[in-house]
């Protein structure tokens, strides 16, 4: 049967990671996959995670199944992070949250649930969005459309065009928004824009589908959840997917969550039963270890404080690297204004250079980024920063 299939092109992001790993050049620089790196170029296990793991290993007495919905302490902890204390939707018992295998697993479960609730449902993605959103949600059976978002020439959000397009979206459609640290462009909605979108969604009966995979890496855990909290307080139904890959560095453990705000506590029970049934039908139960770590970190006061410090250090470093890169590029008199990079947030920005220049950076200078010119700022460090800036300047002037 497999003669009907064809070999597919490598994944837009993970394919670059593979090329990078195969490169033997000592000066190679990885600005591709969205993984945090420290100033030594490492992606260390967080200390709060190490300590939580040690306690789990010492105390765990069984590997028996947990539950379809995963770890209840994790789910409650994620709700606290997403909605904050005393959130009206939580207080009204309208929120159903289940653990899922990573942010991607959460997206998939949410997609299948939406498709079950409303067969053929349309979901509108920002142009651009994370490249895996489209195939992943299509596999769930959703119909995918796009709305304008990033203005490549002005290096900012085309908010008027976005609103105009969303005005025409049909009632009941879903609109995927990035909660913070937009992947790939780094240009985030401000509070007025979240407010305008909330009013529009209310008026038009649009369902927000918020992907918040980078909470805590822009301004802080609470500030980054502003949009999630606003929409969940004001709209009848909200779908939120989150990840512990980036803010807790648990990438390979696959820890994410689907959290759904339903219209009532009664409807929450229906949603919970269906979202659990969807998960059971795809993978039965999520992996435990990562979620057990998150549960411990969130519910052990010393570990929670330590996490806040470690997350704060990652955030500070990312925001500092943005300013550093702009300074280094401008010091080389490059023929482009890169100051927008310092205003964007999270791990990513588009350099806004041509695809040929991206390829030249990779092939000639061993500096790897996604072909869209998306860079992961965390790949820059004290040792390679000048080299990165020199390489970008060289391809721009060529
Ligand atoms: C990225 O965008 O680089 C990350 O989210 C990793 C991935 O799976 O694509």
């Amino acid at each position: 049967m497999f003669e009907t299939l064809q070999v597919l092109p490598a994944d837009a992001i993970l394919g670059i990671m593979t090329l990078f790993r195969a490169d033997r050049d000592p000066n190679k620089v990885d600005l591709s996959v969205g993984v945090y790196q420290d100033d030594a170029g490492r992606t260390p296990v967080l200390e709060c995670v190490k300590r939580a793991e040690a306690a789990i290993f010492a105390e765990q007495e069984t590997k028996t199944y947990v539950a379809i919905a995963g770890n209840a302490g994790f789910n409650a902890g994620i709700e606290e992070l997403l909605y904050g204390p005393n959130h009206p939707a939580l207080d009204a018992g309208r929120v159903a949250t289940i653990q899922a295998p990573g942010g991607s697993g959460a997206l998939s479960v949410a997609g299948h649930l939406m498709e079950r609730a409303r067969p053929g449902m349309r979901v509108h993605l920002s142009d651009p969005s994370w490249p895996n959103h489209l195939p992943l949600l299509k596999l769930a059976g959703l119909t995918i459309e796009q709305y304008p978002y990033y203005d490549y020439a002005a290096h900012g959000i085309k908010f008027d065009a976005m609103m105009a397009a969303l005005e025409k979206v049909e009632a009941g459609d879903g609109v995927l928004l990035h909660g913070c640290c937009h992947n790939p462009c780094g240009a985030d909605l401000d509070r007025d824009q979240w407010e305008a979108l909330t009013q529009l969604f209310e008026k038009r009966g649009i369902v927000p589908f918020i992907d918040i995979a980078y909470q805590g890496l822009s301004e802080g855990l609470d500030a980054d959840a502003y949009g999630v909290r606003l929409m969940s307080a004001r709209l009848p139904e909200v779908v939120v997917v989150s990840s512990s890959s980036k803010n807790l560095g648990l990438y390979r453990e696959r820890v994410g969550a689907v959290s759904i705000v339903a219209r009532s506590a009664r409807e929450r029970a229906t949603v919970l039963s269906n979202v659990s049934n969807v998960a059971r039908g795809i993978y039965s139960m999520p992996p435990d270890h990562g979620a057990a770590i998150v549960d411990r970190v969130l519910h052990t006061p010393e570990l929670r404080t330590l996490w806040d410090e470690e997350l704060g250090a990652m955030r500070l470093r990312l925001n500092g690297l943005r300013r550093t890169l702009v300074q280094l590029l401008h010091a080389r008199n490059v023929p482009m204004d890169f100051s927008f990079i310092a205003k964007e947030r999270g791990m990513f920005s588009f350099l806004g250079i041509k695809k040929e220049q991206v390829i030249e950076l990779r092939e000639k200078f061993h500096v790897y980024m996604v072909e869209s010119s998306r860079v992961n700022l965390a790949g820059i460090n004290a040792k390679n920063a000048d080299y990165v800036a020199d390489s970008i300047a060289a391809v721009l002037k060529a």
Side-chain angles (χ1 to χ4, degrees):
M1 62 182 152
F2 299 121
E3 73 274 12
T4 61
L5 303 180
Q6 278 170 7
V7 175
L8 300 173
D11 182 84
I13 296 171
L14 303 184
I16 305 288
M17 181 173 94
T18 308
L19 290 179
F20 176 80
R21 286 184 178 168
D23 188 335
R24 296 270 157 260
D25 193 276
N27 293 322
K28 67 178 180 174
V29 179
D30 184 13
L31 309 180
S32 66
V33 66
V35 168
Y36 180 80
Q37 297 173 41
D38 64 14
D39 198 53
R42 292 168 319 186
T43 305
V45 181
L46 298 189
E47 181 56 29
C48 61
V49 167
K50 281 265 182 218
R51 291 194 202 168
E53 278 187 310
I56 292 166
F57 287 137
E59 290 168 26
Q60 193 171 58
E61 282 172 349
T62 179
K63 291 285 186 192
T64 188
Y65 294 122
V66 179
I68 299 175
N71 177 319
F74 166 84
N75 292 334
I78 292 298
E79 287 179 349
E80 283 161 38
L81 287 180
L82 291 174
Y83 306 101
N86 311 116
H87 191 280
L90 265 186
D91 289 352
R94 290 170 46 214
V95 183
T97 303
I98 74 162
Q99 184 195 322
S104 296
L107 278 160
S108 178
V109 170
H112 280 277
L113 178 74
M114 290 158 90
E115 164 63 19
R116 177 182 287 188
R118 191 182 277 271
M121 178 166 170
R122 264 186 308 267
V123 168
H124 303 257
L125 302 181
S126 59
D127 176 19
S129 202
W130 179 49
N132 205 26
H133 276 146
L134 174 79
L136 195 156
L137 296 174
K138 252 184 151 169
L139 265 184
L142 297 167
T143 305
I144 306 300
E145 311 260 339
Q146 271 194 328
Y147 61 86
Y149 188 79
Y150 192 68
D151 184 333
Y152 292 86
H155 306 288
I157 302 175
K158 295 177 191 170
F159 194 65
D160 291 344
M162 173 180 177
M163 287 294 278
L166 295 183
E167 280 277 0
K168 299 196 197 99
V169 160
E170 282 188 34
D173 280 10
V175 170
L176 193 143
L177 299 166
H178 296 231
C180 64
C181 307
H182 190 284
N183 179 7
C185 70
D188 283 343
L189 297 161
D190 65 26
R191 292 185 174 201
D192 292 342
Q193 291 168 333
W194 278 109
E195 173 61 37
L197 285 166
T198 304
Q199 287 179 19
L200 176 70
F201 285 18
E202 192 168 21
K203 186 176 87 183
R204 304 273 309 120
I206 297 168
V207 182
F209 182 6
I210 308 177
D211 183 349
I212 179 155
Y214 294 82
Q215 188 181 357
L217 288 169
S218 170
E219 304 295 335
L221 286 167
D222 290 322
D224 293 358
Y226 181 81
V228 168
R229 293 178 188 181
L230 180 76
M231 289 195 156
S232 304
R234 298 252 300 272
L235 299 174
E237 295 177 328
V238 184
V239 179
V240 184
V241 291
S242 68
S243 168
S244 306
S245 293
K246 324 282 170 166
N247 58 14
L248 275 134
L250 288 170
Y251 309 91
R252 67 169 66 164
E253 299 296 352
R254 312 311 297 140
V255 202
V258 188
S259 185
I260 291 163
V261 180
R263 281 188 304 180
S264 62
R266 236 181 90 209
E267 219 162 84
R268 174 213 181 251
T270 312
V271 167
L272 184 60
S273 113
N274 276 275
V275 76
S276 303
N277 177 267
V278 164
R280 176 75 168 147
I282 307 178
Y283 52 77
S284 189
M285 271 171 266
D288 172 61
H289 185 62
I293 294 168
V294 178
D295 180 17
R296 264 198 193 251
V297 169
L298 295 181
H299 297 121
T300 311
E302 315 82 86
L303 297 187
R304 174 62 208 249
T305 306
L306 184 56
W307 179 45
D308 282 335
E309 286 165 16
E310 294 188 282
L311 178 61
M314 289 196 259
R315 175 169 67 240
L316 205 70
R317 181 172 138 69
L318 283 170
N319 289 335
L321 283 168
R322 291 181 169 279
R323 295 188 292 272
T324 304
L325 181 62
V326 176
Q327 280 161 12
L328 292 178
L329 288 171
H330 288 179
R332 283 157 178 80
N333 291 317
V334 286
M336 257 180 85
D337 178 5
F338 285 101
S339 48
F340 65 91
I341 292 176
K343 294 184 204 124
E344 295 174 344
R345 283 293 173 268
M347 280 193 194
F348 311 113
S349 280
F350 286 127
L351 284 184
I353 63 175
K354 298 193 187 88
K355 187 170 156 191
E356 303 83 79
Q357 294 170 323
V358 170
I359 294 170
E360 193 184 344
L361 276 167
R362 181 168 79 221
E363 292 182 348
K364 202 160 149 197
F365 296 94
H366 309 272
V367 175
Y368 288 72
M369 64 191 68
V370 181
E371 276 187 6
S372 59
S373 87
R374 187 195 81 168
V375 288
N376 169 13
L377 279 302
I380 300 172
N381 56 48
K383 235 165 84 191
N384 69 22
D386 280 308
Y387 177 71
V388 168
D390 285 341
S391 308
I392 296 171
V395 302
L396 282 174
K397 288 177 185 165

